[in-house]
Amino acid sequence: MPEQDLLSLQPAHLRELQARYERVLAAEGFDSLLIASGAAPYRHRDDQAYVFQGFGPFLHWTGLTGQEHSWLLIRPGQAPVLWLYQPVDFWHATPELAAEPWQQVIEVRRRPEPGVPELGATKRLAVVGDPQVLEAVPGEHNPEALLAAIEETRVHKTAYEIECLAEANRHALVGHQAAARAFLQGESEFGINLAYQQATGQREADAPYHSIIGLNEHAGTLHYQYYDTCAPQKPRSLLIDAGVRYRGYCSDITRTTAAPGEPRFAALVQGLEALQLRLCDMVAPRVDYVDIHRKTHQGIAALLSASGLVSGLSDEAMVEQGITRAFFPHGIGHFLGVQVHDVAGKPTPPPADAPFLRMTRTLEEGMVVTIEPGLYFIPSLLEPIRNSAAGQYLNEALIAELSGCGGIRIEDNVVVTATGARNLSR
Ligand code: GLY
Ligand code: MN
Ligand code: MN
């Protein structure tokens, strides 16, 4: 969507937020709400601060990820007021806001001090944000029921939010193509990261999460966090899980590439991708997300059987005996928004057989979720299977061969529409 069209959707998004927040404030008995953007704490006994990305509710309204010490006041029937911290500072730059349509809805005031602004008269004020910046602030801090209610306002994305997420996907996909090319040219994890950053025009500090880039065995560590500067002697596989932020909104995409000369691993990647696309097709209103997770286990069992990794056991028994969980230990996905693992996904805890599932709700129009099945060779998870009666069904020779490729994950970002789904990552 052209940028001007996307920007023109933002005022309606803000009016919808105003209506949602007014309902929450009325229900919780507050007449005003102050949202703190937050500030990066300093490292202990150091003059260097941690990376800052802003508090979720502040991003939901403004999308401004880099604005520390800023405040947003919401009151029923009145325009929101945004106090932007703009110090006179010759050490750092103070970027100016581009003139955009949202500034007709939110009143912007600039101030050079970091502390809380003068709010005017309030009857019952709630303040939400990082407790570290709220010390001298009046009002009730982070009331639990109010926080839960405003997190619920993030569950159904507006048209503006969906277009921001689509844009975040579009940018990330360019990066993923560049990363795959770099891998096939023999680059190291570090070099692949540079290629991703170059293609997305996004520095690490601004990414929605630390990009996961694993070659060979490293692909089998779910959130592998280092970048080797040397490529392995024989590059066999690349798993890259990386996103982009666009106006505060995150993409969260994973792709796995088999090196030429790895036909068995390539076939497994192909099989998992076919399963992933079928799971994406399940996304629709009234579908229980936990069912998609359970279908994933059935699909993984079928894949283990078809590839010969496990034989002599029915698909049902593979799931029941925990074999599929050893190969696919995480959940099928989560909500996505201004936080990569967006809030309010678990009003009920996950079932005992899916302890890491981050989303347990029934899908409704406007929700945005990830669909991210995986199949990994993780020694610490395979060991207990090996040492149990089920060990006899494992094809150890094939597992040993493919363990050097680490694992596979394929992840897309999917919007629930009125009649089905829109996949933003394809
Ligand atoms: N990038 C982390 C995740 O996929 O949840
Ligand atoms: Mn991911
Ligand atoms: Mn994810």
Side-chain angles (χ1 to χ4, degrees), residues 62 91 118 238 299 310 338 369 404:
T62 68
W91 291 99
E118 184 53 56
L238 162 69
V310 178
V338 291
V369 294

Side-chain angles (χ1 to χ4, degrees), residues 65-340:
T65 47
Q67 290 286 341
E68 294 180 81
H69 302 293
S70 297
W71 306 84
L72 181 71
L73 182 64
I74 311 296
R75 291 162 299 181
Q78 297 189 57
V81 180
L82 171 63
W83 284 275
L84 278 186
Y85 174 52
Q86 297 215 316
V88 178
D89 180 357
F90 57 83
W91 291 99
H92 304 101
T94 307
E96 257 308 313
L97 286 182
E100 292 180 353
W102 66 267
Q103 290 143 22
Q104 293 154 15
V105 181
I106 294 184
E107 180 190 336
V108 180
R109 301 181 192 169
R110 290 161 177 83
R111 59 198 297 275
E113 304 87 25
V116 69
E118 184 53 56
L119 299 178
T122 58
K123 283 204 205 80
R124 193 172 168 219
L125 168 71
V127 186
V128 295
D130 182 345
Q132 294 195 56
V133 298
L134 301 187
E135 266 166 25
V137 181
E140 293 174 44
H141 292 185
N142 290 315
E144 212 37 69
L146 179 81
L147 273 177
I150 64 176
E151 287 184 347
E152 189 65 24
T153 70
R154 286 160 60 185
V155 167
H156 300 90
K157 269 62 182 179
T158 61
Y160 167 74
E161 294 183 282
I162 290 168
E163 292 312 320
C164 286
L165 290 162
E167 206 56 21
N169 267 262
R170 207 175 59 75
H171 288 288
L173 288 168
V174 175
H176 277 271
Q177 284 166 5
R181 272 197 306 275
F183 166 62
L184 295 172
Q185 287 163 5
E187 284 288 354
S188 65
E189 292 162 351
F190 188 80
I192 293 167
N193 185 43
L194 289 183
Y196 182 82
Q197 284 187 59
Q198 175 77 39
T200 54
Q202 173 185 255
R203 62 184 200 159
E204 277 178 323
D206 295 329
Y209 55 94
H210 184 83
S211 300
I212 299 159
I213 299 174
L215 294 179
N216 295 3
E217 288 90 349
H218 294 165
T221 299
L222 301 183
H223 285 177
Y224 178 71
Q225 72 274 44
Y226 303 113
Y227 299 141
D228 277 2
T229 50
C230 292
Q233 212 148 42
K234 184 170 186 258
R236 301 182 62 192
S237 62
L238 162 69
L239 185 155
I240 169 166
D241 180 343
V244 163
R245 261 195 202 274
Y246 178 81
R247 298 179 74 81
Y249 286 85
C250 308
S251 48
D252 178 11
I253 300 174
T254 310
R255 296 289 180 257
T256 306
T257 308
E262 294 291 343
R264 263 194 280 266
F265 186 66
L268 207 55
V269 173
Q270 217 172 38
L272 191 80
E273 179 151 28
L275 169 63
Q276 194 263 358
L277 290 171
R278 288 200 302 278
L279 298 168
C280 289
D281 282 344
M282 284 182 69
V283 172
R286 294 176 294 286
V287 171
D288 184 351
Y289 194 69
V290 178
D291 278 349
I292 303 182
H293 178 82
R294 296 231 160 90
K295 278 279 182 322
T296 311
H297 276 277
Q298 293 168 15
I300 294 287
L303 200 51
L304 290 172
S305 179
S307 61
L309 282 161
V310 178
S311 50
L313 209 53
S314 71
D315 292 357
E316 292 71 29
M318 261 190 253
V319 176
E320 268 162 32
Q321 296 183 24
I323 294 177
T324 53
R325 252 179 80 184
F327 287 95
F328 168 54
H330 57 77
I332 188 57
H334 48 84
F335 274 152
L336 185 70
V338 291
Q339 288 168 227
V340 63

